[in-house]
Amino acid sequence: MPVHLNTAGAGLMPAAVVDAMTGCLRSEARDGAYETELRHADTLDKGVYESLARVLDAPAEGLALFDSATRAWTSAVTALSLSPRDRIWITPYEYAGNLILWTELRRRTGVRIEVVPLLPGGDLDVEWMRNSIREDVAVVSVPHVPSGCGIVHPVEEIGQVLASWPCLYLVDACQSVGQLPVSVGEIGCDLLTGAGRKFLRGPRGTGFAYIGPRLRERARPPFHDLHVADMTSDTTYEVHTDGARRFEYAERSAAAVMGLDAALRHQLRRTESAVEPSGDTLRDLVRAAVEELPGTRLVDPGTRHASIVTFVCDRTPAPRVRDELAARGVNVWVAQGSHTPLFMRREGIDHAVRVAPHYYNTPDDVAVFARELRAIVA
């Protein structure tokens, strides 16, 4: 097996996730899809939301499932009513997919988009936010951990700053759920989105959102999102007109949702009882391996970091590093500057190598990575 250090792209699924998905698919092939869905109704309609509620420390009625984190984000944000009077705060670490949506909403509605400034070391200037917030700030959007580097933003502190203001607080938690403690209650956000496939170790094609009561009150999801589905079948569908599930799409993969539930339950068992290598330890070992090599530069803003280490080799392009490491049995990935354009372009970075260890990795895995990287760079 390769040494997998690309969890920020997609984590390795535990056996329980694979078993849940393949069991569901076999049942669909043997007995029929509707029949299988009915058999697993307790999990599909209730259990998976309860598991997700425990992982996110969020009320189950505020949770909705989607086929990706991007779909979760756009389903909630595009349902908002915005006007030219509104100001939208984003950060230089905004993901490109979210940034494209904000740009389109500016074109359609005339909203003003403002970028929160950074302190000299790369941290968000929370004091600027505290001093600059006004009634016309309608939305504040912050990624908990960006995809292009490992900085961890103080989302709880930002939530405290915004708590007494009417603006909606949106948190992109794609790279934090599964590797960092994430509590909707402590963050105080109105929207939090994530993906199943990354540090949570669920299947691709799964995403989720916590959609708080203030956002639900202000949003107008399109009618086709209701759980009405194919009324020509004999299957009875529950129509969700309250809570966050009215934002969902009716058609979804039962196998993917079963896999997501298995991943959530695996995460809960792990965080409650498992003993494993510290994520900080593995991250620091990766950082040390990169820093000791001449001609390499960490893309390392901020004072607090998660298990994502990004770096640039002066003489070796990032795609070549990824490909040569893969040939030697080590999985890493390329962080494209266009994926976090406001920050990466300022740093002059088009491509960088992204290394993302997780709890299933060991110090020996990092030693293999360090040895092979040294050979490639040399």
Side-chain angles (χ1 to χ4, degrees), residues 8-330:
L12 299 178
M13 292 188 296
V17 173
V18 177
D19 291 344
M21 296 181 69
T22 55
C24 185
L25 289 172
R26 289 193 184 100
S27 178
E28 288 186 352
R30 182 184 62 243
D31 304 323
Y34 286 158
E35 292 74 14
T36 299
E37 186 177 46
L38 185 61
R39 183 176 302 134
H40 294 294
D42 285 347
T43 298
L44 298 173
D45 293 338
K46 183 179 179 183
V48 65
Y49 297 93
E50 293 175 345
S51 298
L52 184 58
R54 291 175 61 195
V55 168
L56 299 182
D57 184 28
E61 66 270 16
L63 300 174
L65 301 183
F66 301 88
D67 58 6
S68 70
T70 298
R71 180 89 73 180
W73 184 271
T74 57
S75 295
V77 172
T78 56
L80 295 175
S81 297
L82 299 170
S83 75
R85 298 186 302 274
D86 295 325
R87 297 159 64 199
I88 309 296
W89 280 3
I90 63 173
T91 79
Y93 300 100
E94 192 83 350
Y95 178 62
N98 299 350
L99 189 59
I100 290 169
L101 176 59
W102 293 127
T103 303
E104 177 63 17
L105 288 175
R106 179 175 61 186
R107 186 187 69 81
R108 292 184 183 183
T109 68
V111 296
R112 291 170 288 165
I113 299 176
E114 301 173 2
V115 181
V116 175
L118 302 181
L119 297 173
D123 287 313
L124 294 176
D125 192 340
V126 179
E127 195 60 29
W128 178 91
M129 300 175 75
R130 193 188 314 275
N131 294 332
S132 303
I133 185 74
R134 297 291 185 272
E135 292 283 345
D136 58 352
V137 176
V139 178
V140 176
S141 172
V142 179
H144 195 179
V145 178
S147 65
C149 59
I151 186 173
V152 180
H153 294 307
V155 290
E156 295 87 357
E157 182 183 359
I158 293 171
Q160 293 171 4
V161 170
L162 303 178
S164 59
W165 295 88
C167 61
L168 295 172
Y169 180 27
L170 319 183
V171 174
D172 179 344
C174 276
Q175 298 291 3
S176 59
V177 176
Q179 70 154 322
L180 298 176
V182 175
S183 168
V184 164
E186 293 183 8
I187 295 172
C189 55
D190 299 287
L191 175 69
L192 184 141
T193 59
R197 75 176 192 270
K198 297 177 184 288
F199 290 90
L200 198 55
R201 301 183 65 190
R204 296 190 72 175
T206 56
F208 49 84
Y210 163 74
I211 305 174
R214 291 200 311 166
L215 194 155
R216 298 200 302 267
E217 288 173 4
R218 303 184 197 182
R220 296 293 181 268
F223 177 77
H224 71 262
D225 287 352
L226 299 179
H227 271 205
V228 178
D230 180 10
M231 300 307 294
T232 63
S233 75
D234 294 330
T235 304
T236 299
Y237 288 90
E238 180 180 358
V239 179
H240 297 282
T241 57
D242 57 358
R245 293 177 67 178
R246 77 177 195 268
F247 289 81
E248 293 182 347
Y249 288 77
E251 186 64 32
R252 62 183 183 178
S253 165
V257 177
M258 293 297 294
L260 176 62
D261 178 69
L264 292 164
R265 289 186 285 112
H266 181 89
Q267 170 72 6
L268 290 167
R269 289 192 299 269
R270 180 181 73 82
T271 54
E272 290 170 358
S273 62
V275 177
E276 58 207 24
S278 166
D280 292 347
T281 299
L282 295 173
R283 178 200 66 217
D284 291 345
L285 289 173
V286 172
R287 286 163 57 93
V290 172
E291 287 183 303
E292 72 175 12
L293 296 175
T296 61
R297 173 169 59 94
L298 288 168
V299 183
D300 199 34
T303 54
R304 185 184 172 204
H305 304 100
S307 292
I308 298 176
V309 180
T310 310
F311 66 93
V312 175
C313 291
D314 291 341
R315 294 182 297 175
T316 311
R320 179 181 167 190
V321 174
R322 177 198 59 194
D323 294 346
E324 293 202 18
L325 281 172
R328 296 163 183 258
V330 180

